[in-house]
Amino acid sequence: MRYFDENKLIVDTGIALARLGEASRAEPLIAEGLRRDKATQQRGRAFHAFWLASTQLQQGKLDAACRSAGVALALTASIDSPRVAGHVQEFRRCLVPYAREAPVIAFEYRMREALG
C-alpha cells in the first residue's frame, strides 16, 4: 500500500498556481484544502489559511484576505511555530499599502492582541 495525501496535493497545487500568478485558479484549491483539513492539524491549517489570504490579496479581495489571515492568526496564537508566525508577519508587510483600510486596521489590532 502506498501513502497518498490527496489534500496535500490539492493545496500544494493551489500554492504553486498562486506563486505562478494564477491566483484565481489557486484560491478554490487552497480553500478546499483548508476545508478538508482536520481540526487537529492546527499548524497545517494555519499555513493553508496564510496561503489562502495571500492568494485572496493577490486578487484584491482585501476583506476576504484579512478574514483568512485572521484564521491563520488565531491558529498561530495557539501553536508554537516560528515559521507560521513568520508567514503571518510576511502577510502583514503585504498589507502596508492598505494600512488605512478598515479590514487591515482590524487585522492589525487582532495581531497585536494575539502576538503582542
Side-chain angles (χ1 to χ4, degrees), residues 9-23 26 29-30 51:
L9 179 62
I10 290 169
V11 172
D12 286 352
T13 301
I15 291 169
L17 287 168
R19 287 184 167 180
L20 291 170
E22 296 284 339
L29 294 172
I30 299 168
W51 280 107

Side-chain angles (χ1 to χ4, degrees), residues 91-112:
F91 180 78
R92 181 185 192 190
R93 286 187 292 276
C94 293
L95 294 176
V96 168
Y98 311 99
R100 296 178 189 253
E101 300 290 333
V104 175
I105 292 168
F107 175 75
E108 287 280 339
Y109 176 78
R110 289 176 61 197
M111 190 165 181
R112 281 191 303 276

Side-chain angles (χ1 to χ4, degrees), residues 4-20 22-23 25-38 41-55 58 83 87:
F4 177 74
D5 187 341
E6 180 182 14
N7 195 50
K8 181 169 176 23
L9 179 62
I10 290 169
V11 172
D12 286 352
T13 301
I15 291 169
L17 287 168
R19 287 184 167 180
L20 291 170
E22 296 284 339
R25 291 180 53 207
E27 182 182 1
L29 294 172
I30 299 168
E32 176 62 17
L34 183 58
R35 186 190 67 74
R36 289 182 179 201
D37 282 338
K38 294 180 179 135
Q41 297 172 317
Q42 291 185 340
R43 186 172 179 269
R45 289 179 52 75
F47 274 121
H48 296 164
F50 158 77
W51 280 107
L52 180 60
S54 296
T55 301
Q58 278 183 346
R83 189 170 167 218
H87 281 306

